[in-house]
């Protein structure tokens, strides 16, 4: 890995900044604070703007209509978008499903779905986890039984993010109960409007509705919606989960928290003195700066490994996931503490309906408490910290 300043990357960052300055509409900027998905209208509007620039699919190769960016370019793009609070893209569809369809989809599946992901008009959710089958995903029990030209799906998924807004779901199902459990899993694409699907909300500790339980009761899915061969679902899942180790630390969000803490350092005050003049605050800020710099260097290293297709990137991604998410939790808690009385107020999350009277310190405090609560989940989603530690133990120390 080269530790020299990467001038190409710096000029790319300038290009992204200029694009955002010129093209991100004022009414869309800064709306996303918490790590959530934008409302549909905002997401599709932003997707259209990105498409016009040729940046509609930042994670896809050029031959699939994507930008063909390097891992570091994608990270820079995400960092700059997060810094200004640009609307989200449908990242599940872009980062997970898109590459799967490009690699394993039939020509009909590609033609039927990729243009709609690209335009942001068809939104997706991920139906993997089940009650009792999260870390041990291969034990999943949702059944899909063949009946003529259809699969009949029965079972339950849980923690399905944004199922209540999704048009389609990519689903892991059990098509065979014999033999090794991994071998009986298949990957299906299902229209959420199909009769027999029920979505029930789970309101999480941040007071928001991101999550759902999703039930399947005799849901008939055309066999053409099977991706890969029957029983190939585990292979496809490994491919899908093996993407983007360098992003596991959520560096864009860490940088944004740091900016928020720095802003508070000079604007917030306690008993007449600005926060930065208080020793405990300044020391903690310096520690966060140092930890973030260390993570950023590790991200660069893992990105370089990914470019080289090094298998070691996998365990390094686990290290990043643990370090990054633990820091996300500490920084978001610190922000709430530093806001004092204002931090204790769970202001309404910006995207859940604006127009309310401005509250004191709103520009800084708004969403902070929700964010802190939401980040409790960061050491669970995307693979729990315990599971990440097991990956490190096995692959780096052969334990
Ligand atoms: C905010 C959020 C969004 C999510 N979105 C989605 C989504 O869109 N789609 C989807 O399919 N899923 C989603 N998930 C589910 C997520 O993938 C699972 O929560 C995660 O994989 C953990 O599984 P589990 O909740 O069943 O916990 P379990 O696997 O039951 O784990 C419970 C505890 O046991 C520990 N544990 C389990 N196995 C081991 C082991 N082998 N060694 C040591 N410790 C172990 C875990 O670390 C954890 O502390 C989401 C979760 C969250 C929190």
């Amino acid at each position: 890995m080269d530790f020299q300043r990467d001038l190409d990357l710096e000029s790319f960052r300038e290009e992204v900044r200029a694009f955002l300055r010129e093209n991100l509409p004022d009414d869309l900027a800064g709306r996303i604070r918490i790590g959530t998905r934008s409302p549909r209208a905002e997401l599709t509007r932003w997707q259209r703007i990105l498409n016009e620039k040729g940046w509609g699919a930042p994670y896809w190769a050029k031959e699939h209509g994507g930008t063909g960016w390097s891992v570091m370019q994608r990270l820079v793009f995400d960092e700059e978008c997060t810094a200004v609070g640009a609307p989200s893209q449908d990242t599940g569809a872009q980062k997970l499903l898109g590459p799967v369809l490009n690699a394993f989809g039939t020509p009909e599946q590609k033609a039927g779905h990729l243009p709609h992901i690209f335009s942001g008009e068809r939104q997706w959710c991920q139906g993997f986890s089940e009650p009792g089958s999260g870390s041990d995903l291969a034990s999943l029990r949702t059944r899909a039984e063949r009946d003529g030209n259809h699969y009949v799906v029965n079972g339950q998924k849980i923690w399905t993010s944004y199922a209540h807004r999704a048009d389609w779901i990519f689903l892991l199902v059990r098509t065979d109960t014999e033999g090794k459990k991994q071998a009986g899993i298949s990957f299906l694409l299902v229209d959420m409007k199909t009769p027999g699907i029920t979505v029930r909300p789970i309101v999480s500790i941040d007071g928001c509705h991101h999550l759902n339980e999703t039930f399947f009761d005799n849901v008939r899915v055309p066999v053409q919606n099977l991706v890969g061969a029957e029983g190939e679902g585990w292979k496809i899942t490994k491919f899908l989960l093996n993407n983007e180790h360098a992003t596991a630390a959520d560096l864009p969000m860490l940088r944004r928290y740091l900016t928020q803490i720095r802003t508070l350092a000079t604007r917030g005050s306690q008993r007449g003195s600005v926060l930065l003049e208080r020793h405990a605050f300044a020391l903690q800020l310096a520690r966060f700066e140092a930890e973030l710099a260390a993570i950023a260097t590790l991200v660069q290293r893992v990105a370089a490994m990914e470019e080289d297709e090094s298998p070691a990137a996998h365990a390094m991604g686990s290290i990043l996931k643990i370090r990054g998410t633990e820091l996300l939790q500490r920084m978001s808690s610190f922000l709430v503490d530093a806001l004092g009385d204002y931090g204790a107020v769970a202001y309404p999350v910006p995207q859940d309906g604006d127009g309310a009277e401005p509250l004191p310190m709103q520009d800084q405090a708004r969403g902070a408490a929700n964010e802190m609560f939401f980040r409790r989940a960061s050491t669970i989603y995307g693979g729990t910290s315990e599971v990440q530690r097991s990956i490190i133990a096995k692959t780096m120390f052969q334990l």
Side-chain angles (χ1 to χ4, degrees):
M1 182 195 146
D2 186 358
F3 281 100
Q4 300 298 314
R5 275 178 67 198
D6 184 336
L7 296 178
D8 287 344
L9 202 59
E10 285 178 24
S11 80
F12 175 72
R13 189 183 290 278
E14 276 316 310
E15 188 188 348
V16 175
R17 280 186 183 159
F19 167 75
L20 289 169
R21 261 195 314 273
E22 284 156 28
N23 295 282
L24 176 62
D26 287 346
D27 62 317
L28 291 188
R31 297 255 302 141
I32 284 285
R33 279 231 175 150
I34 203 162
T36 56
R37 188 182 290 186
S38 297
R40 174 181 289 269
E42 293 183 10
L43 190 150
T44 42
R45 195 171 142 210
W46 181 231
Q47 188 64 35
R48 208 170 302 129
I49 295 170
L50 290 174
N51 283 336
E52 275 165 25
K53 171 76 176 165
W55 290 358
Y59 312 97
W60 300 0
K62 265 215 160 84
E63 66 263 31
H64 299 132
T67 54
W69 284 338
S70 68
V71 178
M72 279 313 291
Q73 282 179 307
R74 294 199 290 264
L75 261 162
V76 164
F77 177 73
D78 282 349
E79 271 179 28
E80 294 305 321
C81 289
T82 306
V84 294
S88 60
Q89 291 184 273
D90 182 355
T91 44
Q94 290 255 352
K95 287 189 184 172
L96 304 177
L97 180 65
V100 162
L101 287 178
N102 282 323
F104 299 95
T106 60
E108 293 74 26
Q109 287 167 349
K110 289 181 194 174
H113 293 294
L114 292 174
H116 298 287
I117 295 179
F118 204 75
S119 69
E121 280 155 9
R122 182 173 295 168
Q123 299 188 10
W124 288 79
C125 60
Q126 177 187 1
F128 285 13
S129 304
E130 297 181 6
S133 303
S135 304
D136 181 17
L137 191 56
S139 67
L140 64 89
R141 282 165 300 167
T142 295
R143 283 302 310 270
E145 284 168 301
R146 187 79 185 254
D147 178 25
N149 288 332
H150 287 80
Y151 286 104
V152 181
V153 179
N154 281 289
Q156 183 197 344
K157 297 289 170 181
I158 194 165
W159 314 122
T160 333
S161 302
Y162 304 105
H164 55 302
R165 294 203 214 150
D167 304 297
W168 282 68
I169 182 167
F170 51 99
L171 196 62
L172 290 184
V173 289
R174 182 157 299 287
T175 39
D176 192 351
T177 50
E178 306 293 319
K180 210 174 156 213
K181 56 188 180 179
Q182 284 84 353
I185 294 173
S186 300
F187 194 105
L188 281 183
L189 309 174
V190 183
D191 186 336
M192 288 294 280
K193 288 188 293 301
T194 319
I197 300 181
T198 308
V199 176
R200 286 201 201 135
I202 301 174
V203 175
S204 42
I205 190 172
D206 57 1
C208 299
H209 176 198
H210 321 280
L211 300 166
N212 302 278
E213 293 178 287
T214 313
F215 297 87
F216 297 84
D217 182 15
N218 286 322
V219 175
R220 294 184 72 80
V221 181
V223 286
Q224 301 93 289
N225 292 9
L226 174 74
V227 181
E230 204 173 273
E232 262 192 349
W234 195 249
K235 181 175 105 182
I236 297 173
T237 304
K238 279 181 24 191
F239 169 89
L240 173 152
L241 297 176
N242 204 25
N243 263 333
E244 297 278 342
H245 300 295
T247 58
D250 204 347
L251 189 57
M253 196 50 82
L254 287 171
R255 287 207 195 282
R256 191 154 107 189
Y257 285 173
L258 191 64
T259 306
Q260 280 176 263
I261 295 171
R262 280 191 193 138
T263 308
L264 202 60
T266 50
R267 289 213 207 133
S269 65
Q270 205 180 31
R271 285 189 231 121
S273 60
V274 291
L275 287 172
L276 192 57
E277 286 166 8
R278 302 190 74 83
H279 178 70
F281 185 98
L283 186 65
Q284 188 54 70
L285 175 56
R287 285 198 173 126
F288 283 148
E289 301 250 9
E291 282 187 70
L292 204 151
I295 288 177
T297 308
L298 193 57
V299 165
Q300 235 181 310
R301 198 169 145 202
V302 177
M305 288 168 135
E306 284 191 283
E307 299 287 358
D308 292 345
E309 296 182 15
S310 159
H314 185 47
M316 296 297 279
S318 294
I319 295 176
L320 276 180
K321 170 81 183 6
I322 296 170
R323 298 291 292 162
T325 51
E326 287 178 355
L327 189 55
L328 278 174
Q329 292 182 342
R330 279 188 286 124
M331 286 175 109
S332 55
S333 295
F334 180 74
L335 255 171
V336 170
D337 284 349
L339 282 160
D341 290 345
Y342 301 113
V345 182
Y347 295 104
V349 179
Q351 67 262 33
D352 282 356
D354 273 350
E357 283 293 304
L359 297 161
M361 290 280 281
Q362 181 161 286
D363 57 330
Q364 316 218 16
R366 205 168 187 203
N370 313 69
E371 185 87 33
M372 176 193 71
F373 285 124
F374 178 74
R375 290 299 162 199
R376 304 314 303 165
S378 67
T379 46
I380 301 172
Y381 59 67
T384 69
S385 292
E386 290 78 10
V387 168
Q388 304 300 336
R389 286 192 174 91
S390 293
I391 293 171
I392 296 164
K394 269 194 205 127
T395 52
M396 297 182 104
F397 303 107
Q398 289 75 49
L399 293 172

